[in-house]
Amino acid sequence: MNSQNTPRSDLNGVNILIVDDSDELREILEFILKSKGANVDSARDGIEAINKAQASKYDIILMDMRMPGLDGNDTAIKIRTKSEDIKIIALTGDVDGEKFLRKESPFNAYIAKPIDPANLSVSIRKTIGS
Amino acid sequence: MAHGKDESKEFVNHFINLFKDSPDSAVIFDATSNEILHGNNTFQTVFGTAAKNIKDLVAKDDLTAFDVFKEELEKKSQAMFNGRVTTAAGAPLDAMFRAYLLKGKKEAISFIIDVSSEARKREEESQKKWIDHFERLFANSKDIMNLFSMTQRKILRWNPQAAIAMGYSKDELSNVPIEKIYPPEELLKLGASFQRLAAEGFSEEKLKIYRKGKDLGDIWIRSFVIQYEPEVLCLVHTIDITEEKERERVLLKETRLAALGEASASLAHEINNSLQSIQFNLYLLKEEKARLPDDCFKRLEKIEMNVTHIGSVVRNIQNYTHFSRAGKTNVFLSSIIESAKQILEGYVANRQIDLVCDIEQNLPPISVDPNQIQQILLILMKNAIQSMISTPLRKLLVSAHREGDSKIILKLTDTGSGIPPEVKKNLFESFVTTKPIGVGLGLGLSVAKKLAVANKLDMTFTSEVGLGTEFVLTFTMESPEAGKEEAPAGFVLLYVDDKDSLFPSFESFLASKHITVIRSQSAKEAVKTLVNNHVDLVMCAENMYPVSGHAFLKEAANLFSGPICLMRDVNNPMPTGGAGPTEIPKNVDTLDYPCEVENFSNKVNEMMAKIKVGEPV
C-alpha cells in the first residue's frame, strides 16, 4: 500500500497491452504503468487488441471484460488461439472472479475492479513469472 | 281537585283487583316520578316488595329506550317497550312493557311481560333448524365454514374441515376464544366487516389467522346473513389462501430481485469505472507526497478510505443479486474449507482470532457447487469474526463430521456477541443486520441461505446473546441406490437450441440419468459456456439464428473435443451446397429431430458410452 515500498521502476522493460473502451481509464492506467518503467501500448476494443497482439509481441495483456462489440472473453479466446504463451489478465467487476482461473478460461489471472494501483505491479510480475 | 283524586283512586283500586292474580307482572306507578304505587302478586314475586322505582328495574343499556317509552306514554297515553330488567334475585330478564295512562294522567299501569323464555324458545327452534341444515350441507366441504349468531356474537358450529385446516381437534375448536384465532389488528377489521354485514347482508375480508402449531395463515372470509328474525344468523365461508399469498410474496420478491440484479449489474459497472478513475488519480496524487502539505495527504487518505468502502458496498449488492446456477461437481469439503481459510488468513490474523478447524479424516466427496459453498463459508466466517471484535474470547471453531451413512455436518461455532431474539426470526431476510451502520448491509446471510437452498443443503443456527452463535450446515449425500445407475453421475451435457419447445420432453430422461444440463439459447452463448464450464457432451440444433449449428461446430472444434451431436430439423432442413459450408465433420453425430424421447435418449447413451470406453476425448 505504501508508495515507498513499490519502487517506481519495478516494471522496467515489461511490454504491456491495455485493452479498455474507457478513454479515461485507459489513459490513466497507461500513465501509471509507464511511470513504473513499462512499455505500454493500448487498444480501445477487441478488434484493435487482436490486431495489435498479432503485430507486436507483448509480455502481458490487461483486458477489460465489459466492452461493446467483442467482449473481453471473446477477444482473449481469439488472441489465445494465435499465441498460446501470451499472458492475459482479466480486469473485471464480476463478483465471480474465480471463473477466470478455470482450466478452460483463456485468462491467466484476474484483477478485481476497482483495481488497487498499489498492488498492480505485483499482480503483473506474478503473472509474468508464472 | 279533591273529587277528581278520589275518582282516580277508585279507578286504581279497580285495576288492582282486576290484575291481582294475573300470571304477568302488573304494576301501577307514578307517571312523573316512576315511583311504584302498587305491584300485583306476580310482580312482588319477581321483583320483590322492596322495589321503589320502576326505572331502577331497567338495565343500564336500556335506560335511553325507557325514556323514549315514557315520552311516548305521555304523548299517546299508551306505549310499549322491550328491554332488559333485573329481578329481585339479580337475574336479567327480557321483558315487554305495555303501559296505559290511567284517568287523571297521573298514574300509569304497566304490564311487565316476561318474554325471555318465549324468545329463547323461538331462537332455539330457528337455530336448531339452521344447525341441522348447516351440518348436513357442509359435512364434506373442503372449505372452512361456520354458522355465526350475530345476536349472540357466537360461532354456533364449525364444519369438520375447519378443525383440520386450523390444526385443532373438533372439541377444541368449539371452545377456542376468538382472540386466539385472530390477531388484535385483524379483530378490528373483522368488527368493521360485521358492521357491513349487518347493514348490507354481505361482507368479505382478507385476514390473517393463527393456526394451532403453525405460522400465521391467510384467509379470505365471506359472510352472508341467512336469517334476521328472531336472531340474526350468518353463514361464514372461509377460504385458506395462505399458499397463494406465499406464492404471491415469493414471486414479488423474485421479480424485484431480478430487476435489482439487472439494474445493479450495469449500475455497478458505471460506479466501478468512476471509482476506478478516482482511485487511480488518488494514487498518483499520493505519489507526490513530498510535494503535498501533511494535512492534504491525510485528507487524501480519508477520500481513499471512502472510495474503498463504496467499492465494497457495490460488491455486496452485486453478490446479492448475482446467482449463477449451481454447477455441481464432486468435491471434498475439506478442500473448500481450506481455501476459505486461506482467503481469510490476513483477516483472521489482524483481528487476533483463534481459528480452529476440526475436520474428520477421509470424509467422502459431496456433490455441490464448490464456489457457492465457499461463498457461504466466507459469509458465515466473516460474520462470526465481526461478531467477536469486542468479545474477550475470540475463537471460531469449524468442524465437519459424518453423521450416519448419508450426512456430513459442518458446524461453525463462534464466541461472539450472539444474535438477539428479535433478529433471529427474520435473520435470513435481506437487509437484516446486527452490525453497526456502515459495517454490513444485511445481505450476507440471505445470500448464504439462497446458496444453501440452491445446493440442497440444510442451514440452521442457534445463538445466545453474549455467548455466541453456531451455524450448522447439513450436506446430504445421494443414496447409494442412485450411485448404482449405469451412467456415472456428474456428466455435463451442453444443450444448444434457440427454440424452447423440445427440451422439456427430454428433461426428465436427463434427470433420471443424473446428467447436469447447461442450456444455451444461441451459438455465441454456447461458445462462452464451453470456455467457462466443464462439458462432457454437446447436443446442438442445426438450424439456429443468427449463427447456425454448423458455424458453432467450427468454433467449438478449437474448444471441445468430446462427443458432439447435431440435431437436424427434419421439418426445416438447412439448405445444402451454395449457401454455406454445411458438410458435417466425421466425428460429429447426427439426430433427426423433432424426435421421440426414446431416440434422444438412445443417442445420449451412445455418446456417453464413447466417453466411458475411453475414446479420445
Side-chain angles (χ1 to χ4, degrees):
Chain A
M1 212 55 185
N2 206 317
S3 53
Q4 285 105 326
N5 294 344
T6 50
R8 297 200 66 118
S9 56
D10 55 359
L11 291 176
N12 245 344
V14 179
N15 297 311
I16 302 177
L17 175 65
I18 301 168
V19 189
D20 198 323
D21 61 312
S22 157
D23 294 341
E24 194 187 343
L25 289 185
R26 205 173 55 244
E27 278 158 23
I28 197 163
L29 195 54
E30 200 173 330
F31 182 84
I32 290 174
L33 293 173
K34 274 183 178 163
S35 75
K36 291 178 186 295
N39 306 317
V40 188
D41 205 349
S42 69
R44 64 171 63 216
D45 58 42
I47 303 289
E48 195 184 344
I50 293 166
N51 291 337
K52 287 202 166 171
Q54 240 175 320
S56 324
K57 185 158 169 42
Y58 299 100
D59 299 308
I60 196 157
I61 300 176
L62 302 182
M63 178 83 69
D64 183 32
M65 292 309 296
R66 211 176 163 123
M67 293 188 294
L70 216 52
D71 67 17
N73 200 55
D74 293 348
T75 309
I77 291 172
K78 291 242 153 58
I79 294 174
R80 173 77 62 225
T81 51
K82 297 278 186 313
S83 43
E84 278 186 16
D85 302 333
I86 184 90
K87 307 286 184 189
I88 313 178
I89 297 183
L91 307 180
T92 178
D94 200 317
V95 284
D96 182 17
E98 296 295 315
K99 70 182 179 204
F100 296 106
L101 304 181
R102 287 185 201 148
K103 198 169 78 224
E104 313 83 1
S105 161
F107 296 98
N108 301 87
Y110 75 96
I111 298 178
K113 279 183 166 185
I115 302 159
D116 182 356
N119 292 332
L120 193 57
S121 37
V122 178
S123 305
I124 292 175
R125 278 256 163 244
K126 242 190 191 169
T127 310
I128 293 174
S130 67
Chain B
M1 284 298 278
H3 174 75
K5 199 175 180 182
D6 282 347
E7 206 182 336
S8 166
K9 200 157 196 172
E10 198 181 304
F11 202 66
V12 168
N13 284 335
H14 183 68
F15 275 97
I16 290 173
N17 284 328
L18 195 63
F19 294 107
K20 200 169 70 180
D21 299 318
S22 163
D24 290 324
S25 299
V27 62
I28 294 173
F29 62 99
D30 186 313
T32 319
S33 67
N34 301 323
E35 193 189 335
I36 293 169
L37 304 173
H38 180 82
N40 71 349
N41 289 336
T42 311
F43 179 86
Q44 288 181 21
T45 316
V46 178
F47 298 101
T49 46
K52 289 275 179 291
N53 192 306
I54 194 163
K55 202 174 174 178
D56 293 345
L57 303 177
V58 178
K60 239 192 206 158
D61 289 348
D62 291 332
L63 283 176
T64 319
F66 181 79
D67 288 342
V68 173
F69 151 78
K70 282 290 301 294
E71 275 170 33
E72 206 181 325
L73 180 63
E74 201 179 313
K75 264 191 242 158
K76 299 180 182 169
S77 296
Q78 63 163 322
M80 203 170 85
F81 147 70
N82 282 301
R84 186 159 280 193
V85 291
T86 310
T87 66
L93 184 79
D94 290 324
M96 181 167 70
F97 286 64
R98 280 177 183 280
Y100 309 90
L101 268 182
L102 297 180
K103 210 173 177 187
K105 301 201 171 182
K106 187 162 176 359
E107 295 99 358
I109 180 163
S110 179
F111 303 96
I112 305 174
I113 305 163
D114 176 3
V115 293
S116 50
S117 61
E118 194 187 334
R120 213 174 295 131
K121 213 174 135 198
R122 269 173 54 220
E123 276 179 14
E124 269 170 17
E125 271 169 19
S126 84
Q127 256 190 30
K128 195 174 173 303
K129 186 184 83 188
W130 280 110
I131 287 173
D132 283 352
H133 211 53
F134 176 87
E135 289 189 331
R136 221 178 36 245
L137 267 175
F138 300 111
N140 298 318
S141 169
K142 286 294 159 217
D143 288 334
I144 305 165
M145 307 292 305
N146 73 54
L147 185 65
F148 179 73
S149 161
M150 275 187 98
T151 315
Q152 296 181 46
R153 302 236 147 212
K154 188 181 160 199
I155 291 167
L156 304 174
R157 278 293 183 282
W158 290 99
N159 71 334
Q161 177 63 22
I164 298 167
M166 290 164 68
Y168 293 96
S169 75
K170 201 166 177 259
D171 294 339
E172 264 180 324
L173 186 58
S174 50
N175 292 317
V176 179
I178 197 156
E179 295 80 15
K180 284 248 165 119
I181 298 181
Y182 296 102
E185 63 275 15
E186 303 297 278
L187 272 177
L188 287 178
K189 275 202 224 165
L190 197 63
S193 181
F194 276 141
Q195 277 179 6
R196 280 201 305 284
L197 177 61
E200 296 162 19
F202 172 75
S203 78
E204 62 180 324
E205 199 73 55
K206 284 184 179 170
L207 296 170
K208 291 203 168 298
I209 57 162
Y210 295 123
R211 296 172 298 174
K212 194 187 177 191
K214 290 186 189 172
D215 293 336
L216 268 181
D218 291 280
I219 52 164
W220 178 25
I221 178 167
R222 311 170 65 192
S223 317
F224 316 81
V225 174
I226 49 175
Q227 172 190 286
Y228 283 96
E229 281 287 335
E231 176 188 21
V232 185
L233 291 181
C234 313
L235 186 63
V236 183
H237 180 198
T238 305
I239 303 165
D240 189 339
I241 52 169
T242 311
E243 282 179 19
E244 196 180 309
K245 278 259 174 181
E246 180 59 23
R247 273 201 301 276
E248 248 174 54
R249 215 176 65 89
V250 170
L251 190 68
L252 191 68
K253 208 172 163 190
E254 294 287 323
T255 318
R256 280 187 186 155
L257 265 185
L260 185 62
E262 273 170 37
S264 72
S266 53
L267 192 68
H269 180 67
E270 294 301 321
I271 295 176
N272 276 339
N273 268 356
S274 296
L275 278 182
Q276 186 69 79
S277 172
I278 296 172
Q279 201 162 10
F280 279 161
N281 282 300
L282 273 173
Y283 173 76
L284 291 174
L285 274 175
K286 281 175 72 189
E287 292 271 285
E288 305 297 325
K289 190 177 181 182
R291 282 162 55 196
L292 285 171
D294 235 20
D295 56 336
C296 276
F297 190 77
K298 279 194 182 120
R299 281 179 200 285
L300 285 180
E301 281 186 324
K302 279 202 171 147
I303 295 175
E304 190 176 39
M305 222 168 71
N306 279 289
V307 168
T308 312
H309 177 62
I310 297 172
S312 69
V313 170
V314 171
R315 190 149 277 266
N316 269 334
I317 292 181
Q318 274 178 291
N319 261 327
Y320 181 58
T321 51
H322 165 96
F323 288 104
S324 50
R325 199 186 330 203
K328 291 188 180 176
T329 41
N330 283 331
V331 285
F332 290 100
L333 188 55
S334 53
S335 66
I336 302 178
I337 296 173
E338 190 52 41
S339 74
K341 219 174 107 184
Q342 275 172 15
I343 291 173
L344 288 178
E345 207 167 22
Y347 199 77
V348 169
N350 287 340
R351 286 162 184 77
Q352 294 168 320
I353 304 287
D354 184 12
L355 175 58
V356 182
C357 288
D358 169 23
I359 316 294
E360 190 180 312
Q361 296 281 313
N362 303 326
L363 284 176
I366 45 175
S367 169
V368 290
D369 182 315
N371 289 324
Q372 295 187 346
I373 302 304
Q374 182 177 309
Q375 208 181 335
I376 297 177
L377 282 181
L378 288 177
I379 289 167
L380 294 180
M381 287 167 83
K382 270 194 169 178
N383 275 351
I385 292 167
Q386 280 169 356
S387 81
M388 290 190 283
I389 278 176
S390 53
T391 51
L393 200 61
R394 290 197 282 272
K395 182 177 169 183
L396 172 57
L397 173 66
V398 180
S399 68
H401 295 279
R402 269 188 96 129
E403 195 184 88
D405 279 341
S406 63
K407 286 194 168 88
I408 296 179
I409 310 285
L410 172 66
K411 287 183 184 170
L412 292 103
T413 317
D414 68 49
T415 57
S417 49
I419 302 162
E422 65 272 17
V423 180
K424 276 184 185 171
K425 207 174 72 190
N426 43 11
L427 191 69
F428 294 124
E429 300 255 318
S430 3
F431 303 107
V432 171
T433 182
T434 57
K435 296 174 200 165
I437 289 171
V439 175
L441 279 179
L443 292 177
L445 282 178
S446 84
V447 171
K449 182 74 182 182
K450 270 201 148 184
L451 293 175
V453 171
N455 284 278
K456 296 204 171 78
L457 52 113
D458 194 42
M459 178 157 104
T460 57
F461 70 95
T462 49
S463 182
E464 199 74 49
V465 172
L467 289 178
T469 304
E470 180 172 87
F471 274 88
V472 180
L473 294 168
T474 308
F475 299 82
T476 307
M477 284 166 287
E478 274 165 20
S479 63
E481 297 298 301
K484 282 182 196 159
E485 279 282 342
E486 43 172 308
F491 270 71
V492 180
L493 181 144
L494 171 62
Y495 185 92
V496 194
D497 196 348
D498 59 349
K499 294 167 280 297
D500 277 329
S501 50
L502 279 171
F503 181 75
S505 56
F506 304 146
E507 205 166 9
S508 59
F509 158 73
L510 292 168
S512 75
K513 289 278 176 184
H514 301 280
I515 295 172
T516 308
V517 182
I518 305 176
R519 289 183 66 187
S520 293
Q521 308 266 10
S522 70
K524 192 172 166 121
E525 202 186 314
V527 170
K528 283 196 183 172
T529 308
L530 284 180
V531 170
N532 291 325
N533 297 279
H534 168 78
V535 171
D536 294 304
L537 50 158
V538 178
M539 304 286 287
C540 175
E542 180 190 36
N543 197 351
M544 292 192 294
Y545 182 83
V547 182
S548 73
H550 292 282
F552 168 72
L553 289 183
K554 292 208 149 173
E555 282 275 330
N558 292 327
L559 297 164
F560 179 74
S561 52
I564 299 187
C565 175
L566 196 64
M567 300 183 288
R568 313 196 71 178
D569 191 341
V570 288
N571 297 323
N572 207 357
M574 293 281 284
T576 44
T582 50
E583 196 185 321
I584 297 166
K586 269 185 212 138
N587 60 339
V588 172
D589 271 309
T590 58
L591 173 68
D592 283 345
Y593 99 139
C595 66
E596 296 298 319
V597 179
E598 204 186 330
N599 302 3
F600 180 84
S601 51
N602 285 343
K603 183 57 77 180
V604 172
N605 284 334
E606 216 175 273
M607 289 164 73
M608 287 200 303
K610 280 190 192 173
I611 304 174
K612 274 201 287 185
V613 296
E615 276 186 16
V617 168

